[in-house]
Amino acid sequence: MKTPASFGSDLVPTSGRLRRRILFDRVIGWVLLLAFVAVLFPLFDLVGWVSSYALPTMSWSVLTENQVGESGGLYAMIVGTLVLISLGTAIAAGLGISAGFYTAEFAPPPVRRLARLAGNVLAGVPAIVLGYFGYYALVLYTHWGFTTLAGGIILGIFMLPYIFRTTDIALSNVPPSQREASLALGSNRIQYLRRVAFPIAFPTILTGIFFAMALGLGEAAPLVYTAGWSSTPVQNLMQPTAFLTGGIWAFYDFPRSYGTFLTLAFQAAFLLIVIVLVINIVVQVLSDRYRQRLAGIYE
Amino acid sequence: MIPLVVLGAVIAVLVIASGLKDFGWTFWGFQYRFVPGEPEASSWGIGVFLVGTFLTAGLSLVLATLLSLALAISSVVYLPPLPGRLLSMVTNLLAGIPSVIYGIWGFVVLAPYFGMALEPSLKDVLGWLPGFGGPDSAIGPWGTLLAVFILTIMIIPLTTALMRESLRSVPRELVEAGLALGATRWEVVRRVRMRVARNGLWSAVLLGFGRALGESVAVAMVIGGTSIALPPSLYASSTTVASFIFSQLDSALLYPDLFILLVEFSLVLLGIAVVVNLVAQRFTRVELATATTLGGGG
């Protein structure tokens, strides 16, 4: 029995222009495949090297101890990152989901177009510009100094467009038949949104939130100018705080022979990679499952 | 289109005017010399930073465009569905790796290869090309080429995802018409898919460019730091607007002049990023544009 792959081969003429075209097509298929080296190499090389630096001295104490001089662990940074990402997610999800509901359901068309344009442009604003804006507006102008709150707010602004856009798309993509059925049964717009649109859109919105969290966790640029740095775990929101990406930035250029700083940086990197990869795999699986509805947002 | 042009022009005028207000015409020149505490002896040109920004972003964009096109075409046209989807997932995982981790990987792991193996052999083979023959970076293996490499890897997931989406959304009838007329898969890609998806592909390129322009952390870690001069070769260190802002925290705390300068730099970077993004929007229908979300602002 002929497999589909061998089926075509007796259709290829032994010479001439058609043969050249068909062979060129096959060769180029393999040549293009070479480009996957460009994504597979970094992924494996990077994860491998980071693990090889981080794992030999990895232990629970790295996660639970505070860094003191040359020894200790990542405790203050982990706490800081958790506080910052919670603040950022709360702000971004609150604003982004409401803005998404407004844009998809209530806004008149010109406002809707403008809001979508603004969301896309905000997503394109470099993170360091947001960070420096935060430094100007929330650190200097308010006389707060470096604070966890400022870091959380700027991180929230950074994450906002991703949550906003997914909410907007998720709600806009609810099939019109669902709305018509709901309205025909006598529900008003709020009831439709609560009982029909939100449950359908929810997995997508959740995917957007996870995605934004993975991005926010990995960003240093919005934070160095706003959250500052601190060597002790953060106690309240008006103090500066340490965070994992900041730890990597602070310690990456210490020579390997010089204390544990480089190892600590790689351990922070390892921890971040694990967290972010887990979140991203969840995002991939969710968006694969809700592929139809997502219409290609995360792939 | 016209509102976008007007908006872009307004942004450009505002940015240029605010640079002039604080620093005069030298702000748009190539002289950069910072003498702490002596404003008269200092000179604040953004030129070198802009050249570095466009050089690194432009080169990495060329590489990333070629690679992402190859990746997108293989996964849409040549690969069977399952491997195609798996490889898309791998590409997307790459998008999730934080930039600061690309930075430390480039700084610690890749830099020795670049300094000892890749750059000498590039110099041997391509030394006759401008930029490839010049001197090495004075401070070690870190430099422009490494930054280009890291940026390329960082923007590939974004451009690949957008290109894949545009190639895939080409109407099936057109593709099938091409195949039915006897065109090979490659001919259909080249003459049907890539033509129909032209706008989407351009917007992918532009969004990748915007991303590369704005990347600060990873570039600051690998580009070779403090040298503020036009790079004599690709191996030498240079600097970009974004990475300079990111790395000057300590100085900005100390010197009010530098603080104001960094405000201007941020405005210029913001202006460029907004214009690039607005043009990218222009290439996609608004509905499609909202569906093209991936990756961070760098």
Side-chain angles (χ1 to χ4, degrees), chain A residues 21 24-25 28 36 45 53 120 132 135 140 162 165 169 211 219 224-225 269 276 280 284 288 297-299, chain B residues 71 78 85 87 92 96 105 161 164 168 182 185-187 245 249 253 259 262 281 290 293 295-297:
Chain A
R21 284 171 55 205
F24 182 75
D25 176 61
I28 211 152
F36 276 108
D45 194 70
Y53 271 87
N120 289 335
Y132 206 73
Y135 178 60
L140 299 180
Y162 303 100
R165 291 199 290 191
I169 292 166
F211 183 72
E219 267 306 332
V224 285
Y225 272 106
V276 169
N280 267 301
Q284 291 293 315
D288 216 39
I297 312 176
Y298 298 113
E299 22 158 355
Chain B
L71 290 165
Y78 284 97
R85 227 167 66 194
L87 285 170
N92 292 347
W105 175 61
R164 199 162 46 214
R168 191 181 280 154
R185 289 170 299 180
W186 170 251
E187 286 158 356
I245 301 172
L249 173 65
L253 297 179
F259 166 72
L262 294 185
Q281 300 292 313
T290 52
T293 313

Side-chain angles (χ1 to χ4, degrees), chain B residues 144-186:
Chain B
T144 314
L145 196 64
L146 187 56
V148 168
F149 184 82
I150 295 280
L151 277 177
T152 306
I153 296 173
M154 290 183 67
I155 58 177
I156 279 179
L158 174 69
T159 43
T160 308
L162 297 176
M163 286 181 175
R164 199 162 46 214
E165 219 38 61
S166 354
L167 289 177
R168 191 181 280 154
S169 62
V170 170
R172 205 191 171 109
E173 305 89 84
L174 296 179
V175 172
E176 285 173 355
L179 292 172
L181 286 172
T184 62
R185 289 170 299 180
W186 170 251

